[in-house]
Coordinates of all heavy atoms in Angstrom, one line a residue:
S1 N -36.1 -58.4 -40.0 CA -34.9 -58.3 -40.9 C -34.6 -59.7 -41.4 O -35.1 -60.8 -40.9 CB -33.8 -57.8 -40.1 OG -33.4 -58.7 -39.1
F2 N -34.1 -59.6 -42.6 CA -33.6 -60.9 -43.2 C -32.2 -60.8 -43.6 O -31.9 -59.8 -44.4 CB -34.6 -61.1 -44.4 CG -34.4 -62.4 -45.2 CD1 -34.6 -63.7 -44.7 CD2 -33.7 -62.4 -46.4 CE1 -34.4 -64.8 -45.5 CE2 -33.5 -63.5 -47.2 CZ -33.8 -64.8 -46.6
N3 N -31.4 -61.7 -43.3 CA -30.0 -61.7 -43.6 C -29.6 -63.0 -44.2 O -30.1 -64.2 -43.8 CB -29.1 -61.6 -42.3 CG -29.5 -60.3 -41.6 OD1 -29.4 -59.3 -42.2 ND2 -29.9 -60.4 -40.4
V4 N -28.9 -63.0 -45.4 CA -28.3 -64.1 -46.1 C -26.8 -63.9 -46.1 O -26.3 -62.8 -46.4 CB -28.9 -64.2 -47.6 CG1 -28.3 -65.3 -48.2 CG2 -30.5 -64.3 -47.4
S5 N -26.1 -65.0 -46.0 CA -24.6 -65.0 -46.1 C -24.2 -66.3 -46.8 O -24.9 -67.4 -46.8 CB -24.0 -64.9 -44.8 OG -24.2 -66.1 -44.0
G6 N -23.0 -66.3 -47.4 CA -22.6 -67.5 -48.0 C -21.1 -67.7 -48.2 O -20.5 -66.5 -47.9
E7 N -20.6 -68.8 -48.4 CA -19.2 -69.0 -48.4 C -18.9 -70.0 -49.5 O -19.7 -70.9 -49.8 CB -18.6 -69.6 -47.2 CG -18.7 -68.9 -45.9 CD -18.2 -69.7 -44.7 OE1 -17.1 -70.3 -44.7 OE2 -19.0 -69.8 -43.7
Y8 N -17.8 -69.6 -50.3 CA -17.3 -70.6 -51.3 C -15.9 -71.0 -50.9 O -15.1 -70.2 -50.7 CB -17.3 -70.0 -52.7 CG -16.6 -70.8 -53.7 CD1 -17.1 -71.9 -54.2 CD2 -15.4 -70.4 -54.2 CE1 -16.5 -72.8 -55.1 CE2 -14.7 -71.1 -55.1 CZ -15.2 -72.3 -55.6 OH -14.6 -73.0 -56.5
M9 N -15.7 -72.3 -50.8 CA -14.3 -72.8 -50.4 C -13.8 -73.6 -51.6 O -14.5 -74.5 -52.1 CB -14.4 -73.7 -49.2 CG -14.7 -72.9 -48.0 SD -14.7 -74.0 -46.5 CE -15.9 -73.1 -45.4
T10 N -12.7 -73.2 -52.0 CA -12.1 -73.9 -53.3 C -11.6 -75.3 -52.9 O -11.7 -75.6 -51.6 CB -10.8 -73.1 -53.8 OG1 -9.9 -73.0 -52.8 CG2 -11.3 -71.6 -54.2
E11 N -11.2 -76.0 -53.9 CA -10.7 -77.4 -53.5 C -9.5 -77.2 -52.5 O -8.7 -76.3 -52.6 CB -10.4 -78.2 -54.8 CG -9.5 -77.7 -55.7 CD -10.1 -76.6 -56.6 OE1 -11.4 -76.7 -56.8 OE2 -9.3 -75.8 -57.2
R12 N -9.3 -78.3 -51.7 CA -8.2 -78.2 -50.7 C -7.6 -79.8 -50.8 O -8.1 -80.8 -51.0 CB -8.7 -78.0 -49.3 CG -9.6 -76.7 -49.2 CD -10.3 -76.7 -47.8 NE -11.3 -77.8 -47.8 CZ -11.7 -78.5 -46.7 NH1 -11.0 -78.1 -45.5 NH2 -12.6 -79.3 -46.8
W13 N -6.3 -79.7 -50.5 CA -5.6 -80.9 -50.4 C -5.3 -81.3 -48.9 O -4.8 -80.3 -48.2 CB -4.3 -80.9 -51.2 CG -4.4 -80.9 -52.7 CD1 -4.7 -80.0 -53.6 CD2 -4.5 -82.2 -53.4 NE1 -4.9 -80.4 -54.8 CE2 -4.8 -81.7 -54.8 CE3 -4.3 -83.4 -53.0 CZ2 -4.8 -82.7 -55.8 CZ3 -4.4 -84.4 -54.1 CH2 -4.6 -84.0 -55.4
G14 N -5.2 -82.5 -48.5 CA -5.0 -82.8 -47.3 C -4.7 -84.2 -47.0 O -5.0 -85.1 -48.0
Y15 N -4.3 -84.7 -45.9 CA -4.0 -86.1 -45.6 C -5.4 -86.6 -44.9 O -5.9 -86.1 -44.1 CB -2.9 -86.2 -44.6 CG -1.6 -85.7 -45.2 CD1 -1.1 -84.6 -44.8 CD2 -0.9 -86.6 -46.2 CE1 0.2 -84.2 -45.3 CE2 0.2 -86.1 -46.7 CZ 0.8 -84.9 -46.4 OH 1.9 -84.6 -47.0
T16 N -5.9 -87.8 -45.7 CA -7.1 -88.4 -45.1 C -7.0 -89.8 -44.4 O -7.9 -90.4 -44.1 CB -8.0 -88.5 -46.3 OG1 -7.4 -89.3 -47.4 CG2 -8.4 -87.1 -46.9
G17 N -5.8 -90.2 -44.2 CA -5.6 -91.5 -43.5 C -4.4 -92.3 -44.0 O -3.5 -91.6 -44.6
Y18 N -4.4 -93.6 -43.9 CA -3.3 -94.4 -44.3 C -3.9 -95.6 -45.2 O -4.9 -96.0 -45.0 CB -2.7 -95.0 -43.0 CG -1.9 -94.0 -42.2 CD1 -2.6 -93.4 -41.0 CD2 -0.6 -93.6 -42.4 CE1 -2.2 -92.5 -40.1 CE2 0.0 -92.7 -41.6 CZ -0.7 -92.1 -40.5 OH -0.1 -91.1 -39.7
D19 N -3.0 -96.0 -46.0 CA -3.3 -97.2 -46.9 C -2.9 -98.5 -46.1 O -2.4 -98.4 -45.0 CB -2.8 -97.1 -48.2 CG -1.2 -97.0 -48.3 OD1 -0.6 -97.4 -47.3 OD2 -0.8 -96.7 -49.3
E20 N -3.1 -99.6 -46.8 CA -2.8 -100.9 -46.1 C -1.3 -101.1 -45.8 O -1.0 -101.9 -45.0 CB -3.4 -102.1 -46.8 CG -3.0 -102.1 -48.3 CD -3.9 -101.4 -49.1 OE1 -4.9 -100.9 -48.9 OE2 -3.5 -101.3 -50.4
E21 N -0.4 -100.3 -46.5 CA 1.0 -100.5 -46.3 C 1.4 -99.5 -45.2 O 2.6 -99.4 -44.9 CB 1.7 -100.2 -47.6 CG 1.7 -101.5 -48.5 CD 0.7 -101.1 -49.7 OE1 0.8 -99.9 -50.0 OE2 0.3 -102.1 -50.2
G22 N 0.6 -98.7 -44.7 CA 0.9 -97.6 -43.7 C 1.4 -96.3 -44.3 O 1.9 -95.4 -43.5
S23 N 1.3 -96.1 -45.6 CA 1.7 -94.8 -46.2 C 0.5 -93.8 -46.1 O -0.7 -94.2 -46.2 CB 2.0 -95.1 -47.6 OG 3.1 -96.0 -47.7
L24 N 0.9 -92.6 -46.0 CA -0.1 -91.5 -45.9 C -0.9 -91.4 -47.3 O -0.3 -91.5 -48.3 CB 0.5 -90.2 -45.6 CG 0.8 -89.9 -44.2 CD1 1.7 -88.6 -44.2 CD2 -0.4 -89.7 -43.3
I25 N -2.3 -91.2 -47.1 CA -3.1 -90.9 -48.3 C -3.3 -89.5 -48.4 O -3.8 -88.8 -47.6 CB -4.4 -91.7 -48.2 CG1 -4.1 -93.2 -48.1 CG2 -5.3 -91.4 -49.5 CD1 -5.4 -94.0 -47.9
E26 N -2.8 -88.9 -49.6 CA -3.2 -87.4 -49.8 C -4.3 -87.2 -50.8 O -4.2 -87.9 -52.0 CB -1.9 -86.8 -50.2 CG -2.0 -85.2 -50.4 CD -0.8 -84.5 -50.7 OE1 0.2 -85.2 -51.1 OE2 -0.8 -83.3 -50.8
E27 N -5.2 -86.5 -50.5 CA -6.5 -86.5 -51.3 C -6.8 -85.1 -51.5 O -6.6 -84.2 -50.8 CB -7.7 -87.2 -50.8 CG -7.5 -88.7 -50.9 CD -8.8 -89.4 -50.5 OE1 -9.7 -89.4 -51.5 OE2 -8.9 -89.6 -49.4
E28 N -7.6 -84.8 -52.8 CA -8.1 -83.4 -52.9 C -9.5 -83.4 -52.4 O -10.4 -84.4 -53.0 CB -8.0 -83.1 -54.5 CG -8.7 -81.7 -54.7 CD -8.6 -81.5 -56.2 OE1 -8.2 -82.4 -57.1 OE2 -8.8 -80.3 -56.6
C29 N -10.0 -82.6 -51.7 CA -11.4 -82.4 -51.4 C -12.1 -81.4 -52.2 O -11.4 -80.2 -52.5 CB -11.5 -81.9 -50.0 SG -10.9 -83.1 -48.7
P30 N -13.3 -81.7 -52.7 CA -13.9 -80.8 -53.7 C -14.3 -79.5 -53.2 O -14.4 -79.3 -51.9 CB -15.1 -81.5 -54.2 CG -15.4 -82.6 -53.1 CD -14.1 -82.8 -52.4
S31 N -14.5 -78.5 -54.0 CA -14.9 -77.1 -53.6 C -16.5 -77.4 -53.1 O -17.0 -78.2 -53.5 CB -14.8 -76.1 -54.7 OG -15.5 -76.6 -55.8
I32 N -16.8 -76.4 -52.2 CA -18.1 -76.5 -51.6 C -18.7 -75.0 -51.4 O -17.9 -74.1 -51.5 CB -18.1 -77.2 -50.3 CG1 -17.3 -76.5 -49.3 CG2 -17.9 -78.6 -50.2 CD1 -17.6 -76.9 -47.9
Y33 N -20.0 -75.0 -51.5 CA -20.7 -73.7 -51.2 C -21.6 -73.9 -50.0 O -22.2 -74.9 -49.8 CB -21.8 -73.4 -52.3 CG -21.2 -73.2 -53.7 CD1 -21.0 -74.2 -54.7 CD2 -20.7 -71.9 -54.0 CE1 -20.4 -73.9 -55.9 CE2 -20.2 -71.6 -55.4 CZ -20.2 -72.7 -56.3 OH -19.4 -72.4 -57.4
M34 N -21.4 -72.9 -49.1 CA -22.3 -72.9 -47.8 C -23.2 -71.7 -47.8 O -22.6 -70.5 -47.8 CB -21.4 -73.2 -46.6 CG -20.7 -74.6 -46.6 SD -19.9 -75.0 -45.1 CE -20.0 -73.6 -44.1
F35 N -24.4 -71.8 -47.5 CA -25.3 -70.7 -47.4 C -26.0 -70.7 -46.1 O -26.4 -71.7 -45.6 CB -26.4 -70.9 -48.5 CG -25.8 -70.6 -49.9 CD1 -25.6 -71.6 -50.7 CD2 -25.5 -69.2 -50.3 CE1 -25.0 -71.4 -51.9 CE2 -24.8 -69.1 -51.6 CZ -24.8 -70.2 -52.5
N36 N -26.2 -69.5 -45.5 CA -26.9 -69.2 -44.3 C -27.9 -68.3 -44.3 O -27.9 -67.2 -45.2 CB -25.8 -68.9 -43.2 CG -24.6 -69.7 -43.2 OD1 -24.7 -71.0 -43.0 ND2 -23.4 -69.1 -43.4
C37 N -29.0 -68.3 -43.5 CA -30.0 -67.2 -43.4 C -30.6 -67.0 -42.1 O -30.4 -68.0 -41.2 CB -31.0 -67.4 -44.5 SG -32.2 -68.7 -44.1
F38 N -31.0 -65.8 -41.8 CA -31.5 -65.5 -40.4 C -32.6 -64.6 -40.6 O -32.4 -63.6 -41.4 CB -30.4 -64.9 -39.6 CG -30.7 -64.7 -38.2 CD1 -31.0 -65.7 -37.3 CD2 -31.0 -63.3 -37.9 CE1 -31.3 -65.4 -36.0 CE2 -31.5 -63.0 -36.5 CZ -31.4 -63.9 -35.6
V39 N -33.7 -64.9 -40.0 CA -34.9 -64.0 -40.0 C -35.2 -63.6 -38.7 O -35.4 -64.4 -37.8 CB -36.1 -64.7 -40.6 CG1 -37.4 -63.8 -40.6 CG2 -35.8 -65.2 -42.1
R40 N -35.5 -62.2 -38.4 CA -35.8 -61.8 -37.2 C -36.9 -60.7 -37.1 O -37.1 -60.0 -38.0 CB -34.5 -61.1 -36.6 CG -34.6 -60.7 -35.1 CD -33.4 -60.0 -34.6 NE -33.5 -58.6 -34.8 CZ -32.5 -57.8 -34.6 NH1 -31.4 -58.2 -34.0 NH2 -32.6 -56.5 -34.9
Q41 N -37.7 -60.9 -36.0 CA -38.8 -60.0 -35.9 C -38.7 -59.4 -34.6 O -38.6 -60.1 -33.5 CB -40.2 -60.8 -36.0 CG -41.4 -59.9 -35.8 CD -41.5 -58.8 -36.7 OE1 -41.5 -59.0 -37.9 NE2 -41.8 -57.5 -36.3
D42 N -38.6 -58.0 -34.5 CA -38.5 -57.3 -33.1 C -39.9 -57.0 -32.7 O -40.9 -56.8 -33.5 CB -37.7 -56.0 -33.3 CG -36.2 -56.4 -33.5 OD1 -35.7 -57.4 -33.1 OD2 -35.6 -55.6 -34.2
D43 N -40.0 -56.8 -31.4 CA -41.1 -56.3 -30.5 C -42.4 -57.2 -31.0 O -43.5 -56.7 -31.4 CB -41.5 -54.9 -31.0 CG -40.5 -54.0 -30.5 OD1 -39.9 -54.2 -29.4 OD2 -40.3 -52.8 -31.0
L44 N -42.2 -58.5 -30.8 CA -43.2 -59.5 -31.2 C -44.0 -59.8 -29.9 O -43.5 -60.3 -28.9 CB -42.5 -60.8 -31.7 CG -43.6 -61.8 -32.3 CD1 -44.3 -61.4 -33.6 CD2 -42.7 -63.2 -32.6
F45 N -45.3 -59.5 -29.9 CA -46.2 -59.7 -28.9 C -45.9 -58.9 -27.6 O -46.8 -58.5 -26.9 CB -46.2 -61.2 -28.4 CG -46.6 -62.0 -29.6 CD1 -45.7 -63.1 -29.8 CD2 -47.8 -62.0 -30.3 CE1 -45.9 -64.0 -31.0 CE2 -48.0 -62.9 -31.3 CZ -47.1 -63.8 -31.7
V46 N -44.6 -58.6 -27.2 CA -44.2 -57.9 -26.2 C -43.1 -56.9 -26.6 O -42.2 -57.2 -27.3 CB -43.7 -58.9 -25.0 CG1 -43.1 -58.1 -23.9 CG2 -44.6 -59.9 -24.7
K47 N -43.1 -55.7 -26.0 CA -42.1 -54.8 -26.5 C -40.8 -55.2 -25.9 O -40.5 -55.9 -24.9 CB -42.5 -53.4 -25.6 CG -41.5 -52.3 -26.1 CD -41.9 -50.9 -25.4 CE -41.0 -49.8 -25.7 NZ -39.7 -49.9 -26.1
D48 N -39.6 -55.0 -26.7 CA -38.3 -55.5 -26.5 C -38.1 -57.0 -26.6 O -37.0 -57.4 -26.2 CB -37.8 -55.0 -25.2 CG -37.7 -53.4 -25.0 OD1 -37.5 -52.9 -26.1 OD2 -38.0 -52.9 -23.9
L49 N -39.0 -57.8 -27.1 CA -38.9 -59.2 -27.3 C -38.6 -59.4 -28.7 O -39.4 -58.9 -29.6 CB -40.2 -60.0 -26.9 CG -40.2 -61.5 -27.1 CD1 -39.1 -62.1 -26.1 CD2 -41.5 -62.0 -26.7
S50 N -37.6 -60.2 -29.0 CA -37.2 -60.4 -30.5 C -37.2 -62.1 -30.6 O -36.9 -62.8 -29.7 CB -35.8 -59.9 -30.9 OG -35.9 -58.5 -30.7
I51 N -37.6 -62.4 -31.8 CA -37.5 -63.8 -32.1 C -36.9 -64.0 -33.5 O -37.0 -63.2 -34.4 CB -39.0 -64.5 -32.1 CG1 -38.8 -66.0 -32.3 CG2 -39.9 -63.9 -33.2 CD1 -40.2 -66.8 -32.2
G52 N -36.0 -65.0 -33.5 CA -35.3 -65.2 -34.8 C -35.2 -66.6 -35.1 O -35.2 -67.5 -34.3
I53 N -35.2 -66.9 -36.4 CA -35.0 -68.4 -36.9 C -33.8 -68.3 -37.8 O -33.7 -67.4 -38.7 CB -36.3 -68.8 -37.6 CG1 -37.5 -68.8 -36.7 CG2 -36.2 -70.2 -38.2 CD1 -38.8 -69.0 -37.4
F54 N -33.0 -69.3 -37.7 CA -31.8 -69.4 -38.6 C -31.6 -70.7 -39.1 O -32.0 -71.6 -38.6 CB -30.5 -68.8 -37.7 CG -30.1 -69.8 -36.6 CD1 -29.3 -70.8 -36.8 CD2 -30.6 -69.5 -35.4 CE1 -29.0 -71.6 -35.8 CE2 -30.2 -70.4 -34.3 CZ -29.4 -71.5 -34.5
A55 N -30.9 -70.8 -40.2 CA -30.4 -72.0 -40.8 C -29.1 -71.8 -41.4 O -28.8 -70.8 -42.0 CB -31.3 -72.3 -42.0
R56 N -28.1 -72.7 -41.0 CA -26.7 -72.7 -41.4 C -26.6 -73.9 -42.2 O -27.1 -74.9 -42.1 CB -25.9 -72.7 -40.2 CG -25.9 -71.6 -39.3 CD -24.9 -71.5 -38.2 NE -25.1 -70.5 -37.3 CZ -25.3 -70.5 -36.1 NH1 -25.4 -71.7 -35.5 NH2 -25.5 -69.4 -35.4
N57 N -25.7 -73.7 -43.3 CA -25.3 -74.8 -44.3 C -26.7 -75.4 -44.9 O -26.9 -76.5 -44.7 CB -24.5 -75.8 -43.6 CG -23.9 -76.7 -44.5 OD1 -23.9 -76.6 -45.8 ND2 -23.1 -77.8 -44.2
I58 N -27.5 -74.5 -45.4 CA -28.8 -74.8 -46.0 C -28.6 -76.1 -47.0 O -29.5 -77.0 -47.0 CB -29.4 -73.7 -46.6 CG1 -29.7 -72.7 -45.5 CG2 -30.7 -74.0 -47.2 CD1 -30.1 -71.4 -46.0
L59 N -27.7 -76.0 -47.8 CA -27.4 -77.1 -48.8 C -26.8 -78.3 -48.3 O -26.6 -79.2 -49.0 CB -26.6 -76.5 -50.0 CG -27.2 -75.2 -50.7 CD1 -26.2 -74.7 -51.7 CD2 -28.6 -75.5 -51.3
D60 N -26.6 -78.3 -47.1 CA -25.9 -79.5 -46.5 C -24.6 -80.0 -47.1 O -24.4 -81.1 -47.4 CB -26.9 -80.6 -46.4 CG -26.4 -81.8 -45.3 OD1 -25.7 -81.4 -44.5 OD2 -26.8 -82.9 -45.5
A61 N -23.8 -79.0 -47.4 CA -22.5 -79.2 -48.0 C -21.6 -80.2 -47.0 O -21.6 -79.9 -45.8 CB -21.7 -78.0 -48.2
D62 N -20.8 -81.0 -47.7 CA -20.1 -82.1 -46.9 C -18.8 -81.4 -46.5 O -17.8 -81.7 -47.3 CB -19.9 -83.4 -47.8 CG -19.2 -84.6 -47.0 OD1 -19.4 -84.4 -45.7 OD2 -18.7 -85.3 -47.5
Y63 N -18.6 -80.7 -45.6 CA -17.5 -80.1 -45.0 C -16.8 -80.9 -44.1 O -17.4 -81.4 -43.1 CB -17.8 -78.6 -44.5 CG -16.5 -77.9 -44.0 CD1 -15.7 -77.2 -45.1 CD2 -16.0 -78.0 -42.8 CE1 -14.6 -76.6 -44.7 CE2 -14.8 -77.4 -42.4 CZ -14.1 -76.6 -43.4 OH -12.9 -75.9 -43.1
K64 N -15.5 -81.0 -44.4 CA -14.6 -81.7 -43.2 C -13.4 -81.0 -43.0 O -12.8 -80.2 -43.8 CB -14.2 -83.1 -43.9 CG -15.3 -84.2 -44.1 CD -14.8 -85.4 -44.7 CE -15.8 -86.5 -44.7 NZ -16.8 -86.3 -45.7
F65 N -12.9 -81.2 -41.7 CA -11.7 -80.6 -41.3 C -10.6 -81.5 -41.6 O -10.3 -82.6 -40.9 CB -11.7 -80.3 -39.7 CG -12.7 -79.3 -39.4 CD1 -14.0 -79.7 -38.9 CD2 -12.4 -77.9 -39.5 CE1 -14.9 -78.6 -38.5 CE2 -13.3 -77.0 -39.2 CZ -14.5 -77.3 -38.6
I66 N -9.9 -81.2 -42.8 CA -8.8 -82.1 -43.2 C -7.4 -81.8 -42.6 O -7.3 -80.5 -42.3 CB -8.6 -82.2 -44.7 CG1 -8.5 -80.8 -45.2 CG2 -9.9 -82.9 -45.3 CD1 -8.1 -80.8 -46.7
Q67 N -6.6 -82.6 -42.4 CA -5.2 -82.4 -42.0 C -4.3 -82.0 -43.1 O -3.9 -82.6 -44.0 CB -4.6 -83.6 -41.2 CG -5.4 -84.2 -40.1 CD -5.5 -83.2 -38.9 OE1 -4.4 -82.7 -38.5 NE2 -6.6 -82.8 -38.5
P68 N -3.6 -80.8 -42.9 CA -2.7 -80.3 -43.8 C -1.3 -80.9 -43.6 O -0.3 -80.7 -44.2 CB -2.5 -78.7 -43.6 CG -2.9 -78.6 -42.2 CD -4.0 -79.7 -41.9
Y69 N -1.2 -81.7 -42.5 CA 0.1 -82.5 -42.2 C -0.3 -83.8 -41.5 O -1.5 -84.2 -41.4 CB 0.8 -81.6 -41.1 CG -0.1 -81.3 -39.9 CD1 -0.2 -82.2 -38.9 CD2 -0.8 -80.0 -39.8 CE1 -1.1 -81.9 -37.8 CE2 -1.6 -79.8 -38.8 CZ -1.8 -80.7 -37.9 OH -2.7 -80.4 -36.7
D70 N 0.7 -84.6 -41.3 CA 0.4 -86.0 -40.7 C 0.0 -85.9 -39.3 O 0.7 -85.7 -38.3 CB 1.7 -86.8 -40.8 CG 1.5 -88.2 -40.3 OD1 0.4 -88.6 -40.0 OD2 2.5 -89.0 -40.1
G71 N -1.3 -85.8 -39.0 CA -1.9 -85.6 -37.8 C -2.3 -87.0 -37.1 O -2.9 -87.1 -36.0
S72 N -2.0 -88.1 -37.8 CA -2.4 -89.4 -37.3 C -3.8 -89.8 -37.1 O -4.2 -90.6 -36.5 CB -1.7 -89.7 -36.0 OG -0.2 -89.5 -36.2
F73 N -4.7 -89.0 -37.8 CA -6.1 -89.3 -37.7 C -6.8 -88.8 -39.0 O -6.3 -88.0 -39.7 CB -6.8 -89.0 -36.5 CG -6.7 -87.4 -36.3 CD1 -7.7 -86.5 -36.7 CD2 -5.7 -86.8 -35.4 CE1 -7.6 -85.2 -36.4 CE2 -5.7 -85.6 -35.1 CZ -6.4 -84.6 -35.7
A74 N -7.9 -89.4 -39.3 CA -8.8 -89.2 -40.4 C -9.3 -87.7 -40.3 O -9.4 -87.1 -39.3 CB -9.9 -90.1 -40.6
P75 N -10.0 -87.2 -41.4 CA -10.6 -86.0 -41.3 C -11.8 -86.0 -40.2 O -12.5 -86.9 -40.2 CB -11.2 -85.7 -42.7 CG -10.3 -86.5 -43.7 CD -9.9 -87.8 -42.7
L76 N -11.9 -84.8 -39.6 CA -13.0 -84.6 -38.6 C -14.3 -84.0 -39.3 O -14.1 -83.1 -40.2 CB -12.5 -83.7 -37.6 CG -11.3 -84.2 -36.7 CD1 -10.9 -83.1 -35.8 CD2 -11.6 -85.5 -36.0
P77 N -15.4 -84.6 -38.9 CA -16.7 -83.9 -39.6 C -17.0 -82.6 -38.9 O -16.6 -82.3 -37.8 CB -17.7 -85.0 -39.3 CG -17.2 -85.7 -38.1 CD -15.7 -85.7 -38.1
G78 N -17.7 -81.8 -39.7 CA -18.0 -80.5 -39.1 C -18.8 -79.7 -40.0 O -19.1 -80.0 -41.2
L79 N -19.6 -78.8 -39.5 CA -20.4 -77.8 -40.0 C -21.6 -78.5 -41.0 O -21.9 -78.2 -42.1 CB -19.6 -76.8 -41.0 CG -18.4 -76.2 -40.3 CD1 -17.6 -75.4 -41.4 CD2 -18.9 -75.3 -39.3
D80 N -22.3 -79.3 -40.2 CA -23.5 -79.9 -40.8 C -24.6 -78.8 -40.8 O -24.5 -77.9 -40.3 CB -24.0 -81.2 -39.9 CG -23.1 -82.3 -40.3 OD1 -22.4 -82.5 -41.2 OD2 -23.0 -83.2 -39.3
R81 N -25.6 -79.3 -41.4 CA -26.8 -78.5 -41.5 C -27.5 -78.2 -40.1 O -27.5 -79.1 -39.2 CB -28.0 -79.0 -42.3 CG -29.2 -78.0 -42.5 CD -30.3 -78.7 -43.3 NE -29.9 -79.1 -44.6 CZ -30.2 -80.2 -45.3 NH1 -31.1 -81.0 -44.7 NH2 -29.8 -80.3 -46.5
E82 N -27.8 -76.9 -39.8 CA -28.2 -76.6 -38.4 C -29.5 -75.6 -38.7 O -29.3 -74.7 -39.5 CB -27.2 -75.9 -37.7 CG -27.6 -75.6 -36.3 CD -26.5 -74.9 -35.5 OE1 -25.4 -74.7 -36.0 OE2 -26.6 -74.5 -34.4
V83 N -30.5 -75.9 -37.8 CA -31.7 -74.9 -37.9 C -32.1 -74.7 -36.3 O -31.9 -75.5 -35.5 CB -33.0 -75.6 -38.5 CG1 -34.2 -74.8 -38.4 CG2 -32.6 -75.9 -39.9
G84 N -32.3 -73.4 -36.1 CA -32.5 -73.1 -34.8 C -33.4 -71.9 -34.5 O -33.8 -71.2 -35.5
L85 N -33.9 -71.7 -33.3 CA -34.7 -70.7 -32.8 C -33.9 -69.8 -31.9 O -33.3 -70.4 -30.9 CB -36.0 -71.1 -32.3 CG -37.0 -70.1 -31.7 CD1 -37.7 -69.4 -32.9 CD2 -38.1 -70.9 -31.0
K86 N -34.0 -68.4 -32.0 CA -33.5 -67.6 -30.9 C -34.5 -66.5 -30.4 O -35.2 -65.8 -31.2 CB -32.3 -66.8 -31.6 CG -31.6 -65.8 -30.7 CD -30.5 -65.1 -31.4 CE -29.8 -64.1 -30.4 NZ -28.7 -63.4 -31.2
L87 N -34.7 -66.7 -29.1 CA -35.5 -65.5 -28.4 C -34.6 -64.7 -27.6 O -33.7 -65.1 -26.9 CB -36.4 -66.2 -27.5 CG -37.5 -67.1 -28.1 CD1 -38.4 -67.7 -27.0 CD2 -38.6 -66.1 -28.9
S88 N -35.0 -63.4 -27.6 CA -34.1 -62.5 -26.8 C -34.9 -61.4 -26.3 O -36.0 -61.0 -26.9 CB -33.0 -61.9 -27.7 OG -33.3 -61.2 -28.8
Y89 N -34.7 -60.7 -25.0 CA -35.4 -59.8 -24.5 C -34.4 -58.8 -24.0 O -33.4 -59.1 -23.3 CB -36.3 -60.3 -23.4 CG -37.1 -59.3 -22.7 CD1 -38.3 -58.9 -23.3 CD2 -36.8 -58.6 -21.5 CE1 -39.0 -57.9 -22.7 CE2 -37.5 -57.6 -20.9 CZ -38.5 -57.2 -21.5 OH -39.4 -56.2 -21.0
E90 N -34.7 -57.5 -24.4 CA -33.8 -56.5 -23.9 C -34.3 -55.8 -22.7 O -35.4 -55.2 -22.7 CB -33.6 -55.5 -25.0 CG -32.6 -54.3 -24.7 CD -32.5 -53.5 -25.8 OE1 -32.5 -53.8 -27.1 OE2 -32.2 -52.2 -25.6
F91 N -33.5 -55.9 -21.5 CA -34.0 -55.3 -20.3 C -33.5 -53.8 -20.4 O -32.3 -53.5 -20.7 CB -33.5 -55.9 -19.0 CG -33.9 -57.4 -18.8 CD1 -33.3 -58.3 -19.2 CD2 -35.0 -57.4 -18.2 CE1 -33.8 -59.7 -19.1 CE2 -35.6 -58.8 -17.9 CZ -35.1 -59.9 -18.4
S92 N -34.4 -52.9 -20.0 CA -34.0 -51.5 -19.9 C -34.1 -51.0 -18.5 O -34.9 -51.3 -17.9 CB -34.9 -50.5 -20.8 OG -36.2 -50.7 -20.6
L93 N -33.1 -50.1 -18.2 CA -33.1 -49.6 -16.8 C -33.6 -48.2 -16.8 O -33.7 -47.5 -17.6 CB -31.7 -49.5 -16.3 CG -30.9 -50.9 -16.3 CD1 -29.5 -50.7 -15.9 CD2 -31.7 -51.8 -15.2

């Protein structure tokens, strides 16, 4: 099986820190696209064994968790590109 998913996030406003006078800086973060895919093969080499390869945030969009209020800290990084392998085996009784 082959699965593809995507997300579009519009521009967002949030607090990104303080300036040299101690005032809050409010900025607009640009809109981003995030795409994911997952490929899975069942019964590979052994019955009930599945293998899958996935990739998240393929385009490496610069997503940050911004603060919608004065949270006293800068935006947190998040959702970087990720690639992985998943093996699963189904035990039957």
Side-chain angles (χ1 to χ4, degrees):
S1 64
F2 180 73
N3 302 301
V4 178
S5 65
E7 295 177 53
Y8 169 71
M9 295 182 201
T10 62
E11 57 277 340
R12 303 169 295 145
W13 284 89
Y15 297 106
T16 58
Y18 295 94
D19 62 13
E20 54 275 349
E21 284 105 31
S23 300
L24 280 172
I25 300 171
E26 185 177 10
E27 286 186 85
E28 179 182 10
C29 293
S31 59
I32 60 171
Y33 295 95
M34 291 190 354
F35 294 100
N36 312 305
C37 71
F38 184 74
V39 178
R40 185 179 86 185
Q41 176 66 48
D42 293 331
D43 296 329
L44 185 68
F45 306 119
V46 177
K47 186 177 180 338
D48 296 330
L49 177 67
S50 297
I51 185 169
I53 299 172
F54 66 88
R56 294 186 183 122
N57 194 5
I58 296 169
L59 301 177
D60 199 23
D62 187 23
Y63 183 82
K64 291 184 173 75
F65 294 99
I66 58 173
Q67 296 294 309
Y69 51 86
D70 180 9
S72 299
F73 54 89
L76 299 171
L79 306 175
D80 288 335
R81 182 182 299 145
E82 180 181 3
V83 177
L85 176 70
K86 179 181 177 182
L87 288 172
S88 63
Y89 182 78
E90 184 178 325
F91 293 96
S92 57
L93 300 175

